[in-house]
Amino acid sequence: MTEALPMGATIGILGGGQLGRMLSVAAARLGLKTHIFEPGADPPASHVAQALTTAHYDDTAALTGFAQSVDVVTYEFENIPTSALDVIEAIVPIRPGREALRVSQDRLTEKTFLQDLDLAVAPFADVTNQAMLTEAVARIGVPSILKTRRFGYDGKGQARLTSADNIDHAWAQMAAQPAILEGFVDFTREVSVIAARSAQGEVACFDPGENLHRNGILHKTTVPARLSAAQRTDAVLIAAKILNALDYVGVLGVELFVTDGGQIVNEIAPRVHNSGHWTQNGCAVDQFEQHIRAVAGWPLGDGSRYADVTMENLIGADVENVAALAKESDAALHLYGKAEAKPGRKMGHVNRITGSPSS
Amino acid sequence: MTEALPMGATIGILGGGQLGRMLSVAAARLGLKTHIFEPGADPPASHVAQALTTAHYDDTAALTGFAQSVDVVTYEFENIPTSALDVIEAIVPIRPGREALRVSQDRLTEKTFLQDLDLAVAPFADVTNQAMLTEAVARIGVPSILKTRRFGYDGKGQARLTSADNIDHAWAQMAAQPAILEGFVDFTREVSVIAARSAQGEVACFDPGENLHRNGILHKTTVPARLSAAQRTDAVLIAAKILNALDYVGVLGVELFVTDGGQIVNEIAPRVHNSGHWTQNGCAVDQFEQHIRAVAGWPLGDGSRYADVTMENLIGADVENVAALAKESDAALHLYGKAEAKPGRKMGHVNRITGSPSS
């Protein structure tokens, strides 16, 4: 697939959560249809999609039918089983490509990949048993964080080490899964760059956003981030290096720690990213449309920002404030259509337009 | 229905075109689902809706099933058969209400309604036969426009009279349908106000847009319109008077001719309106969400505008320029997913952000 997909073509999306939902809406704006593949019932993305396949990722027949009905496949999460990708890729292209998934599915592979690009990362060590953890703690020190290599997100599968006495407890929390110990980084702030690369190799970045987390989950992103012009340039160069190294097609989220000694890459996500939701109310082409444009072989938007915006997640019971939020001037609500508000579940977000671009 | 619809509720939409499509997307942003009722195949709105009923407006069983599956019904066009509305209204509320439809379905009723509100309208006359047309032309003069009372839009069902010699020809074009003769208004510009009224009686208006037509179809809307502060106030007061008189719930489009002697109401549309599409890229809450908020009993957005915007329709073959439009900085594409680009068919629009609010 080297030509741009024509209007009326269909994009397959693996995963039916809020990211798939907002990708579907963006595809519709470009006259494209979407087909969602999702094991769970009543997925949010299906409310705004042309078609839905409800099946598990080991259902070869369902995957085959899905792939045959679409022109290209993308995804809203990185932990897709390799076997499912193999079935799909025999039929249609997957964008972003397999290399991005291979790298980002495993924290150790990802850190090694970034280090090999001469990008700064936190000190890290491979930990597959308790003895290796003891050695790693001796080398990297505390405080540090032990994380499962795979399937972690929003602070899940993590244990913080504050003293060598915690080793037993921390290792137990990994439930014998391969892990990685990451040294603590003394950062002044965390920012993220939402960057995109087209099928033709063009790169476009949105302005970096400044992130605030609560309980290991993103709480708020503010644009512009408090960065110097030189820091902004560095952030863009880091993102572009990663995109080019992966021969990437689509939107990539790059989380960066800003330190006195420069920016350190925390992690990358080969997909649209929660910290890029502000673009929906700050840019003519938002991150979701940018991703769809790349995946469909269309030209990218240039990332121009025409408003200062803050994005705040509505998590669990936060969504009960919707009536009050709906009355706020300059607030744009984005709710995900999830039936039940469980603690920690992302139910929606609100973008607040705080002014004309201030930088 | 006096309470706000909860998230997860379903809004039924009569009509599956681009307006229904953009209403569906707006409903999704508020966590609401949509069910489209449309006789035609593969309607654009169905690509982003939870459910679709394909049936004609005289199919009582289909209308009943549709109404039973939703919490409230709205519509994207005004020419819905009364019999269909009767079936639906026995089961669920219709918003905006029947009075708005009754008034706007017939140009003569609409003009009389506006005149009774002491609003300025063009001179008009009831024309049901050729003799009445001869009398009307003698009274109103030429140039003037003969229009069918019902089912006209985008310049269809209209004949222009430039001399009394045209009477035979003009009357023939009406095909014996009841008509209305409208005198020519010497206006400096045409503007429109997209106004909303909530179930609680709140009124909110977006900034007036200035409209440019080509071949009887809207070509371009520019915000801000070239109006004085006093003219803006007048426009808002006119819209509010109409909304209140109709005990209206939803978004209403009001087209106004600006003349040296004040503003003259050209026509009203009891729905979201093409000239309000700019709000998608100029406001936190666009006209589609504003309509859904009203219909769902939610609080209205306040109409704040945070960008200057021009909206240009992509009609027929215009859509072939999409590749070039996609490369433009600050241009937001909105394509409707229609399979075939026929002459005169609205295929999409482009909103161009031209700057921070200039007034």
Side-chain angles (χ1 to χ4, degrees):
Chain A
M1 195 186 92
T2 51
E3 303 262 305
L5 284 187
M7 286 180 284
T10 301
I11 296 182
I13 301 177
L14 299 170
Q18 66 267 21
L19 301 181
R21 177 178 170 99
M22 294 184 278
L23 286 168
S24 278
V25 166
R29 278 204 302 272
L30 299 179
L32 301 166
K33 296 173 183 170
T34 55
H35 183 157
I36 306 297
F37 189 99
E38 162 68 45
D42 189 31
S46 72
H47 306 167
V48 287
Q50 167 79 351
L52 168 67
T53 294
T54 304
H56 287 277
Y57 288 103
D58 59 3
D59 184 337
T60 305
L63 288 165
T64 301
F66 168 75
Q68 285 171 341
S69 77
V70 302
D71 297 286
V72 63
V73 166
T74 189
Y75 43 86
E76 62 151 19
F77 73 116
E78 48 270 44
N79 292 315
I80 304 152
T82 300
S83 57
L85 297 168
D86 289 341
V87 173
I88 292 165
E89 207 173 25
I91 302 167
V92 277
I94 298 173
R95 288 179 168 175
R98 299 290 290 272
E99 181 63 2
L101 283 168
R102 189 188 66 79
V103 165
S104 61
Q105 281 181 345
D106 183 312
R107 291 183 196 277
L108 184 67
T109 311
E110 182 177 309
K111 282 276 192 297
T112 309
F113 162 78
L114 295 167
Q115 199 171 45
D116 290 349
L117 287 178
D118 288 326
L119 296 173
V121 293
F124 66 95
D126 182 10
V127 172
T128 53
N129 57 48
Q130 192 166 335
M132 287 175 85
L133 179 56
T134 305
E135 272 178 57
V137 171
R139 179 164 69 81
I140 290 171
V142 290
S144 50
I145 305 170
L146 187 65
K147 300 176 177 178
T148 55
R149 280 172 56 175
R150 294 174 63 93
F151 303 118
Y153 67 95
D154 286 345
K156 291 173 190 170
Q158 302 196 2
R160 188 158 180 156
L161 282 129
T162 48
S163 100
D165 298 343
N166 296 148
I167 287 177
D168 285 10
H169 179 68
W171 178 244
Q173 284 182 258
M174 297 300 107
Q177 293 174 85
I180 176 174
L181 185 72
E182 295 181 10
F184 181 78
V185 174
D186 187 19
F187 58 89
T188 51
R189 52 187 56 103
E190 193 210 294
V191 300
S192 54
V193 182
I194 308 300
R197 189 167 175 274
S198 73
Q200 291 76 34
E202 303 166 290
V203 168
C205 292
F206 294 105
D207 275 357
E210 184 168 336
N211 301 327
L212 193 67
H213 289 79
R214 273 192 195 165
N215 308 318
I217 304 179
L218 183 66
H219 167 60
K220 192 173 178 180
T221 300
T222 301
V223 255
R226 289 169 294 170
L227 292 175
S228 67
Q231 285 172 322
R232 275 166 220 275
T233 303
D234 279 352
V236 166
L237 291 175
I238 290 167
K241 196 173 199 178
I242 297 168
L243 287 169
N244 289 326
L246 293 170
D247 193 18
Y248 195 89
V249 177
V251 160
L252 176 88
V254 183
E255 292 182 14
L256 297 164
F257 293 135
V258 181
T259 75
D260 293 341
Q263 289 169 70
I264 291 174
V265 183
N266 178 31
E267 63 178 42
I268 62 175
R271 52 170 168 79
V272 288
H273 195 258
N274 194 167
S275 68
H277 291 0
W278 67 267
T279 57
Q280 293 174 312
N281 296 96
C283 301
V285 174
D286 68 20
Q287 69 161 347
F288 303 99
E289 182 174 330
Q290 189 78 311
H291 186 76
I292 295 292
R293 282 175 175 236
V295 166
W298 285 43
L300 299 180
D302 65 6
S304 302
R305 181 169 65 82
Y306 57 85
D308 288 356
V309 185
T310 64
M311 186 289 304
E312 192 177 316
N313 273 332
L314 303 176
I315 293 173
D318 290 348
V319 79
E320 290 166 18
N321 298 326
V322 154
L325 292 168
K327 287 181 188 164
E328 269 186 43
S329 190
D330 302 315
L333 274 169
H334 297 268
L335 302 177
Y336 305 153
K338 296 182 185 178
E340 204 186 340
K342 292 184 191 163
R345 178 177 278 182
K346 290 176 179 173
M347 301 299 292
H349 64 274
V350 56
N351 287 333
R352 293 186 175 92
I353 296 152
T354 57
S356 297
S358 59
S359 65
Chain B
M1 195 185 93
T2 51
E3 303 261 306
L5 285 186
M7 286 180 285
T10 301
I11 296 182
I13 301 177
L14 299 170
Q18 66 267 18
L19 301 181
R21 177 178 171 98
M22 293 184 278
L23 286 168
S24 279
V25 166
R29 278 202 303 271
L30 300 179
L32 301 167
K33 296 173 183 170
T34 55
H35 184 158
I36 306 297
F37 189 100
E38 162 69 45
D42 189 31
S46 72
H47 306 166
V48 287
Q50 167 78 353
L52 168 67
T53 294
T54 304
H56 287 276
Y57 287 103
D58 59 3
D59 184 337
T60 304
L63 287 165
T64 302
F66 167 75
Q68 285 169 341
S69 77
V70 302
D71 298 286
V72 62
V73 165
T74 190
Y75 42 88
E76 62 151 20
F77 72 117
E78 49 270 45
N79 293 314
I80 304 152
T82 300
S83 56
L85 297 167
D86 289 341
V87 173
I88 292 166
E89 207 173 26
I91 301 167
V92 276
I94 297 173
R95 287 180 169 174
R98 298 290 291 272
E99 181 63 1
L101 282 168
R102 189 188 67 79
V103 165
S104 61
Q105 280 181 346
D106 183 312
R107 291 184 195 277
L108 184 68
T109 311
E110 181 176 311
K111 281 275 191 300
T112 308
F113 162 78
L114 295 167
Q115 200 171 46
D116 290 349
L117 287 179
D118 289 326
L119 296 173
V121 293
F124 66 93
D126 181 11
V127 173
T128 53
N129 56 49
Q130 191 165 337
M132 286 174 85
L133 179 57
T134 305
E135 271 178 58
V137 170
R139 179 165 68 82
I140 290 171
V142 291
S144 51
I145 305 170
L146 187 65
K147 300 176 176 177
T148 56
R149 281 171 55 176
R150 294 173 64 91
F151 303 119
Y153 68 97
D154 285 346
K156 290 172 190 170
Q158 302 195 2
R160 187 157 181 159
L161 282 128
T162 49
S163 100
D165 298 342
N166 296 146
I167 286 178
D168 285 11
H169 179 68
W171 177 245
Q173 285 182 258
M174 296 300 107
Q177 294 174 84
I180 177 174
L181 185 72
E182 294 181 11
F184 181 79
V185 174
D186 187 19
F187 59 88
T188 51
R189 53 186 55 104
E190 193 210 292
V191 300
S192 53
V193 182
I194 308 301
R197 189 168 175 273
S198 73
Q200 292 75 34
E202 303 166 290
V203 168
C205 292
F206 294 106
D207 275 357
E210 184 167 335
N211 300 327
L212 192 68
H213 289 79
R214 273 191 194 167
N215 308 318
I217 305 178
L218 183 66
H219 167 59
K220 191 173 179 179
T221 299
T222 302
V223 227
R226 289 168 295 171
L227 293 176
S228 68
Q231 286 172 322
R232 275 165 219 276
T233 303
D234 280 352
V236 166
L237 291 174
I238 291 168
K241 196 172 200 178
I242 297 168
L243 288 169
N244 289 327
L246 293 170
D247 193 19
Y248 195 90
V249 177
V251 160
L252 177 87
V254 183
E255 292 182 14
L256 297 164
F257 293 135
V258 181
T259 76
D260 292 342
Q263 287 169 70
I264 291 175
V265 183
N266 178 31
E267 62 178 42
I268 61 176
R271 52 170 168 79
V272 288
H273 195 257
N274 194 167
S275 69
H277 292 0
W278 66 267
T279 57
Q280 294 174 310
N281 296 96
C283 302
V285 174
D286 68 19
Q287 68 162 347
F288 301 99
E289 182 174 330
Q290 189 78 309
H291 186 76
I292 295 291
R293 283 175 173 234
V295 166
W298 285 44
L300 299 179
D302 66 6
S304 302
R305 181 169 65 82
Y306 57 85
D308 289 356
V309 185
T310 64
M311 186 288 306
E312 192 177 315
N313 273 332
L314 303 176
I315 294 173
D318 289 350
V319 79
E320 291 165 18
N321 299 327
V322 155
L325 292 167
K327 287 181 188 164
E328 269 186 43
S329 189
D330 303 315
L333 273 170
H334 297 268
L335 302 177
Y336 304 153
K338 296 182 184 178
E340 204 185 339
K342 292 186 191 161
R345 177 177 278 181
K346 291 176 178 172
M347 301 300 292
H349 64 274
V350 57
N351 287 332
R352 293 187 175 90
I353 295 153
T354 58
S356 298
S358 59
S359 64

